[in-house]
Amino acid sequence: MAGFDKRVADYAEALAGLKDGMSIVAGGFGLCGIPENLIARIHAMGVKGLTVISNNCGIDDFGLGILLKDRQIKKMIASYVGENAEFERQLLSGELDVELTPQGTLAEKIRAGGAGIPAFYTATGYGTPVGEGKEVREFNGRPHILEQSITADFAIVKGWKADWYGNVIYRHTAQNFNPAAATAGRITVVEVEELVPPGELDPDHIHTPSIYVDRVIQSRFEKRIERRTTRSA
Amino acid sequence: MAGFDKRVADYAEALAGLKDGMSIVAGGFGLCGIPENLIARIHAMGVKGLTVISNNCGIDDFGLGILLKDRQIKKMIASYVGENAEFERQLLSGELDVELTPQGTLAEKIRAGGAGIPAFYTATGYGTPVGEGKEVREFNGRPHILEQSITADFAIVKGWKADWYGNVIYRHTAQNFNPAAATAGRITVVEVEELVPPGELDPDHIHTPSIYVDRVIQSRFEKRIERRTTRSA
Amino acid sequence: MALTREQMAERVGRELRDGDYVNLGIGIPTLVANYIPANIEVMLQSENGLLGMGPFPLDSEVDADMINAGKQTVTARTGASIFSSPESFAMIRGGHVDLTVLGAFEVDVEGNIASWMVPGKLVKGMGGAMDLVAGANNIIVTMAHAAKNGESKLLSRCTLPLTGRGCIRRVLTDLAYLEIENGAFVLRERAPGVTVDEIRSRTEGRLVVPAQVPEMKF
Amino acid sequence: MALTREQMAERVGRELRDGDYVNLGIGIPTLVANYIPANIEVMLQSENGLLGMGPFPLDSEVDADMINAGKQTVTARTGASIFSSPESFAMIRGGHVDLTVLGAFEVDVEGNIASWMVPGKLVKGMGGAMDLVAGANNIIVTMAHAAKNGESKLLSRCTLPLTGRGCIRRVLTDLAYLEIENGAFVLRERAPGVTVDEIRSRTEGRLVVPAQVPEMKF
């Protein structure tokens, strides 16, 4: 790699260094904006004992669900189990260590991790199981709990367009957790639909500045839709 | 005001409700991206006893400096006094109550205020006068201090373009503290160079979503340059 | 007669004010979008990062990159904005959303709400619900008044793990519209044809019945 | 002879690595931008919200909306990004900036630095300096070795209010390049023609002098 050219040749290089027992923070909400090819590669690598931080865990046969099914994940930090039957089963049976985290707290923990804020107070979760064992402190006459931030060995991110330097923009609601995840990886890998030369993206409208990104790769995406809902004309 | 049309008729309406003793958080860095017309109106209103939160305090005859000169400001929360002679004089003489705050901590305090995070830990300022009297706690083997967030009665913001609903985009480094300030005002007032009908700004590239904004107004700006520095061709 | 899901959504719709930013949860709350009074405008926030949610797309408009918090494909209305999850919850946690409507398993007279798990049986996860109840200034819970076996869901104390403590002030059930005040459910309106006695018999938590309890009209 | 400001900048420039993201403070650090070795590329971060600072503008390019942290008009280079202050300090505080170069009034053998005020006399304010010293993995301080009256600025203990505690490992003065290790300044290089004795006489904090102390070459 010369200078700021962060393009990698293939997915093997994109995820080089990922090992058993590591932590991975992933962008995406449901199946929207998930780094599906990076996940597929992690599946193919067969690494095990992973701690995965992601709002959801895909579905049974797509996204992070495929890692779950093959028991590559030891621990999940997520806000929503939803209709992922295998996730719920492994959680209820105790096979999987799960830290259910309110969605906004999860987003803020990841953002804070990337921003060098080790901990913050929030009213979210006070007086609920989420607050158990956490320090409670009053601010403005209201109890808040102390939440610690999250960083990970790898961040896997799905962008729309990136330049070779790793400046990234996201498309529509595929943005979601991706920009926060991009800041919180020791090594941040971004896969995009289109890789462009530096200078093609408007500097005023970069969602993820290049400084957070270590590797970028262009690929094709299935972009599966979880709940196709339409109106008639 | 009907629905989401947040346009106001004039500067009197833009700052209606601003009273003696209130707090104001202002965008801008140096003289770049400052809400110069809103500041001029505050000057003309003659309100006194203000607490102003802003990275800088303008210069002697422009920006927030004009409020300082006429003793409208009781307290300044800022990171840099720099070459503002009157600011430094009032600070050293004790006429002005000043809370010097590291720039990144100030930015994060304002962001946190807008985001409903009442307090956070940061390593910035530990072991310095900024840390005095603040709680110290170790995270990851390193001491951090507890910093509390900032909100204000009014936020005054300078945007480039906004739509009638109050979606705002900023231009180049005139962005700086403006988006954070916009989130932290009980009443947020934005002045822009160009007001456009809803639908003209790309939803994927709004810097300040309309939900934070209460009033918008279009105006002309002097945009004074503090240090014109050029190279020869 | 108990309200239909559509009637519940319609009744909630009457609480909307012109210019409100509103977050609608999954289920009945989602239907409220169909009952926004004609003379007002509201902007719907979806916590996955969309402010200004529009209708579902036409078949030709479906876009995998455009979904709501229920993972349904959606569109954006004119004047919408799209942003990251931290930004979305800054809005929510910071109290910028005017009104939140969400479902629940149980609420109680202290304003506590339980909506995200049944120990040993069901775990949906809290998603954004804990943030919404902690952050919104104004919350309306929509839920069935009682379970199918008749057991009340309006309790003196929630039995399930909580989503939030002391944060609920308004509840719309299929039988009634109630406000939570001073440790009691105050009965404000009845569903058409539903008697006070029936509501009383299906409300386990303390119920206060004012002299006048008007029937809802549809 | 003591280094000129340009020589100091040139010497610091040799510490840059290909692909580094670098924050340069006001003063001598700013000049480092002119001494980036020809075979490498670095990206300059300006804490007011610009990553990828370019040269000063031509007269015809001057833009009031385009300034650096020193309030000078600047340009953006190809591949730059521009963002808010909270985002800028997320980069800094989060340790994403590879190298920070900044000035100081004093440093001491514990790696403490003082750079933002002289009580009763001078208050510049800390600006972003406290965040930079707390957040960067790698900091080089550039400063005069001694005041004009000969008083050392490399101390056993800083006398002025601190900017950061225990965060400085490398110092370049007009007389020498030093590393701070185990409670001492370790003399690594001398300015051309400056003797170890002269450096010793102007260093109040404990100085360790290795067997070889090469002269800098320009």
Side-chain angles (χ1 to χ4, degrees):
Chain A
M1 192 173 76
F4 294 92
D5 189 349
K6 296 170 185 172
R7 289 175 295 174
V8 293
D10 54 29
Y11 275 85
E13 196 183 329
L15 286 167
L18 179 65
K19 293 194 169 46
D20 288 356
M22 281 189 167
S23 56
I24 301 173
V25 57
F29 180 93
L31 299 183
C32 181
I34 61 171
E36 55 178 78
N37 300 300
L38 288 165
I39 293 167
R41 169 71 196 170
I42 293 169
H43 187 239
M45 287 169 82
V47 284
K48 298 226 180 292
L50 300 172
T51 294
V52 175
I53 302 105
S54 168
N55 188 59
N56 311 81
C57 196
I59 57 174
D60 285 352
D61 66 339
F62 197 66
L64 291 168
I66 60 176
L67 306 186
L68 205 61
K69 203 161 63 175
D70 284 354
R71 311 297 176 87
Q72 292 181 264
I73 302 177
K74 182 186 66 181
K75 179 175 180 177
M76 255 328 281
I77 301 177
S79 90
Y80 200 69
V81 178
E83 294 71 23
N84 187 324
E86 177 66 12
F87 189 0
E88 187 167 1
R89 193 193 66 69
Q90 289 190 23
L91 191 169
L92 289 170
S93 70
E95 290 163 63
L96 181 70
D97 185 4
V98 178
E99 201 172 304
L100 280 174
T101 305
Q103 193 173 140
T105 297
L106 182 62
E108 188 67 13
K109 276 170 168 269
I110 298 168
R111 196 206 70 90
I117 302 288
F120 57 89
Y121 288 93
T122 176
T124 301
Y126 165 74
T128 78
V130 165
E132 276 167 28
K134 290 176 184 158
E135 185 191 312
V136 174
R137 189 180 299 199
E138 270 202 17
F139 294 96
N140 314 314
R142 198 171 166 209
H144 291 72
I145 59 175
L146 182 65
E147 292 282 6
Q148 302 212 19
S149 68
I150 290 175
T151 56
D153 294 312
F154 272 78
I156 55 174
V157 169
K158 157 68 171 66
W160 180 36
K161 292 185 186 179
D163 67 22
W164 306 346
Y165 292 175
N167 290 302
V168 187
I169 61 173
Y170 305 93
R171 187 168 172 276
H172 303 345
T173 61
Q175 181 172 167
N176 57 60
F177 279 83
N178 280 298
T183 68
R186 193 169 50 77
I187 296 176
T188 290
V189 189
V190 181
E191 59 174 2
V192 294
E193 298 176 44
E194 196 181 341
L195 208 43
V196 300
E200 292 212 358
L201 304 178
D202 180 351
D204 284 358
H205 293 286
I206 303 292
H207 292 120
T208 293
S210 69
I211 197 170
Y212 296 114
V213 176
D214 298 285
R215 304 169 188 172
V216 288
I217 188 165
Q218 177 176 320
S219 191
R220 307 188 71 153
F221 295 81
E222 176 185 341
K223 298 212 277 187
R224 200 182 290 187
I225 292 175
E226 211 160 342
R227 295 196 182 158
R228 187 185 179 93
T229 315
T230 57
R231 72 180 196 279
S232 35
Chain B
M1 190 171 74
F4 295 92
D5 189 350
K6 296 171 184 171
R7 290 174 296 174
V8 293
D10 54 29
Y11 276 84
E13 197 183 329
L15 287 167
L18 179 66
K19 293 193 168 47
D20 288 358
M22 280 189 168
S23 56
I24 301 173
V25 57
F29 180 95
L31 300 183
C32 182
I34 62 171
E36 55 178 81
N37 300 299
L38 289 166
I39 292 167
R41 169 70 194 171
I42 294 168
H43 187 238
M45 287 168 82
V47 284
K48 296 223 182 296
L50 300 173
T51 295
V52 175
I53 303 102
S54 168
N55 188 59
N56 311 82
C57 198
I59 57 174
D60 284 352
D61 66 339
F62 196 65
L64 291 168
I66 61 176
L67 306 185
L68 205 61
K69 203 161 65 175
D70 284 354
R71 309 298 173 88
Q72 292 181 262
I73 302 177
K74 182 186 65 182
K75 178 176 180 177
M76 260 322 286
I77 301 177
S79 89
Y80 200 70
V81 178
E83 293 71 23
N84 187 324
E86 178 65 11
F87 189 179
E88 186 167 3
R89 193 194 63 72
Q90 289 191 23
L91 191 170
L92 289 170
S93 71
E95 289 164 64
L96 181 70
D97 184 4
V98 179
E99 202 172 303
L100 280 175
T101 304
Q103 194 173 141
T105 296
L106 183 62
E108 188 66 14
K109 275 170 168 269
I110 298 169
R111 196 207 69 90
I117 302 287
F120 58 89
Y121 287 93
T122 177
T124 301
Y126 165 75
T128 78
V130 165
E132 275 168 28
K134 289 177 185 157
E135 184 192 313
V136 174
R137 189 179 300 200
E138 270 202 18
F139 295 96
N140 314 315
R142 198 172 165 208
H144 292 73
I145 60 176
L146 183 65
E147 291 281 6
Q148 301 213 19
S149 68
I150 290 175
T151 56
D153 294 313
F154 273 78
I156 55 173
V157 169
K158 157 69 171 64
W160 180 36
K161 292 185 185 179
D163 66 23
W164 304 347
Y165 292 175
N167 290 303
V168 187
I169 60 174
Y170 305 93
R171 188 169 171 276
H172 303 343
T173 61
Q175 181 172 168
N176 56 60
F177 279 83
N178 280 298
T183 69
R186 192 169 51 75
I187 296 175
T188 291
V189 189
V190 180
E191 60 174 2
V192 295
E193 297 177 45
E194 196 181 342
L195 206 44
V196 300
E200 293 211 359
L201 303 179
D202 179 352
D204 284 359
H205 293 286
I206 303 292
H207 291 121
T208 293
S210 70
I211 198 169
Y212 296 114
V213 175
D214 298 285
R215 304 168 187 172
V216 288
I217 188 165
Q218 176 176 321
S219 192
R220 306 189 69 154
F221 296 81
E222 177 185 339
K223 299 212 277 187
R224 200 181 291 186
I225 292 174
E226 211 160 341
R227 294 195 183 159
R228 186 186 179 91
T229 316
T230 57
R231 72 179 197 279
S232 36
Chain C
M1 260 198 19
L3 301 183
T4 62
R5 290 162 55 90
E6 281 68 24
Q7 284 175 316
M8 289 176 72
E10 185 178 344
R11 176 61 192 83
V12 170
R14 294 176 194 164
E15 300 296 309
L16 302 174
R17 299 288 164 264
D18 195 26
D20 271 355
Y21 291 95
V22 180
N23 183 293
L24 301 177
I26 296 168
I28 293 169
T30 301
L31 300 177
V32 174
N34 303 329
Y35 295 96
I36 298 166
N39 54 333
I40 71 166
E41 241 193 313
V42 305
M43 192 87 85
L44 301 177
Q45 202 256 17
S46 187
E47 67 263 28
N48 57 316
L50 169 59
L51 182 67
M53 192 163 34
F56 293 127
L58 295 173
D59 208 63
S60 60
E61 293 172 335
V62 167
D63 184 335
D65 291 338
M66 201 62 207
I67 68 166
N68 66 17
K71 283 104 181 178
Q72 298 169 306
T73 44
V74 289
T75 59
R77 54 161 281 176
T78 299
S81 53
I82 297 173
F83 34 81
S84 70
S85 300
E87 181 66 52
S88 184
F89 284 92
M91 289 175 194
I92 290 168
R93 198 190 305 101
H96 304 279
V97 173
D98 297 303
L99 179 68
T100 285
V101 185
L102 77 175
F105 299 151
E106 300 174 345
V107 295
D108 72 25
V109 296
E110 303 298 338
N112 299 325
I113 172 172
S115 64
W116 66 284
M117 81 170 293
V118 181
K121 283 191 191 158
L122 168 87
V123 190
K124 292 152 57 92
M126 65 292 284
M130 284 193 184
D131 309 278
L132 282 160
V133 299
N137 296 316
N138 204 344
I139 301 165
I140 300 178
V141 169
T142 61
M143 60 191 296
H145 206 101
K148 279 174 190 143
N149 65 6
E151 237 173 278
S152 178
K153 298 179 168 212
L154 273 59
L155 305 174
S156 40
R157 190 169 193 89
C158 287
T159 64
L160 296 171
L162 295 184
T163 307
R165 186 179 287 273
C167 46
I168 308 300
R169 296 284 163 270
R170 300 196 275 173
V171 184
L172 179 78
T173 73
D174 51 343
L175 303 184
Y177 175 65
L178 312 99
E179 289 176 359
I180 299 174
E181 284 173 16
N182 305 314
F185 295 106
V186 182
L187 182 58
R188 293 295 179 200
E189 295 173 32
R190 296 171 292 131
V194 173
T195 65
V196 169
D197 280 351
E198 184 174 349
I199 292 165
R200 197 191 305 275
S201 74
R202 292 181 186 249
T203 307
E204 190 268 330
R206 193 160 80 88
L207 185 75
V208 170
V209 181
Q212 298 293 325
V213 183
E215 248 184 26
M216 296 174 203
K217 299 211 185 322
F218 290 94
Chain D
M1 258 201 16
L3 300 182
T4 62
R5 289 162 55 90
E6 282 68 23
Q7 285 174 316
M8 289 176 72
E10 185 177 344
R11 176 61 192 84
V12 170
R14 295 176 193 163
E15 299 296 310
L16 302 173
R17 299 288 164 263
D18 194 26
D20 272 354
Y21 291 96
V22 180
N23 185 293
L24 301 176
I26 296 168
I28 294 170
T30 301
L31 299 178
V32 174
N34 302 329
Y35 294 96
I36 298 167
N39 54 333
I40 71 166
E41 242 194 313
V42 305
M43 191 88 84
L44 300 177
Q45 203 256 18
S46 186
E47 67 264 27
N48 58 316
L50 169 60
L51 182 67
M53 192 160 40
F56 294 126
L58 295 173
D59 209 62
S60 60
E61 294 172 334
V62 166
D63 184 335
D65 291 338
M66 201 62 207
I67 67 166
N68 65 17
K71 283 103 179 177
Q72 297 168 308
T73 45
V74 287
T75 58
R77 54 161 279 176
T78 299
S81 54
I82 297 172
F83 34 80
S84 70
S85 300
E87 180 67 53
S88 184
F89 284 92
M91 287 175 196
I92 290 168
R93 198 190 304 102
H96 304 279
V97 173
D98 298 302
L99 178 69
T100 286
V101 185
L102 77 174
F105 299 150
E106 300 174 344
V107 294
D108 71 25
V109 294
E110 303 298 338
N112 299 324
I113 171 173
S115 64
W116 66 282
M117 80 170 293
V118 181
K121 283 192 191 158
L122 168 86
V123 190
K124 291 152 56 92
M126 66 290 287
M130 283 191 183
D131 308 278
L132 283 161
V133 298
N137 295 316
N138 205 344
I139 301 164
I140 301 177
V141 168
T142 60
M143 61 192 295
H145 206 101
K148 279 175 192 143
N149 65 5
E151 237 173 278
S152 178
K153 298 179 169 211
L154 273 58
L155 305 175
S156 40
R157 190 166 193 91
C158 286
T159 64
L160 295 172
L162 295 185
T163 306
R165 186 178 287 273
C167 46
I168 307 301
R169 296 285 162 269
R170 301 197 274 172
V171 183
L172 179 79
T173 73
D174 51 343
L175 303 183
Y177 176 64
L178 313 98
E179 289 176 358
I180 300 174
E181 283 172 17
N182 304 316
F185 294 106
V186 181
L187 182 57
R188 293 294 179 200
E189 295 173 32
R190 297 171 293 129
V194 173
T195 64
V196 169
D197 279 352
E198 184 175 348
I199 293 165
R200 197 191 305 275
S201 74
R202 293 182 185 248
T203 307
E204 189 269 328
R206 193 160 78 90
L207 184 75
V208 170
V209 181
Q212 298 295 324
V213 183
E215 245 184 30
M216 296 174 204
K217 301 210 182 324
F218 290 93

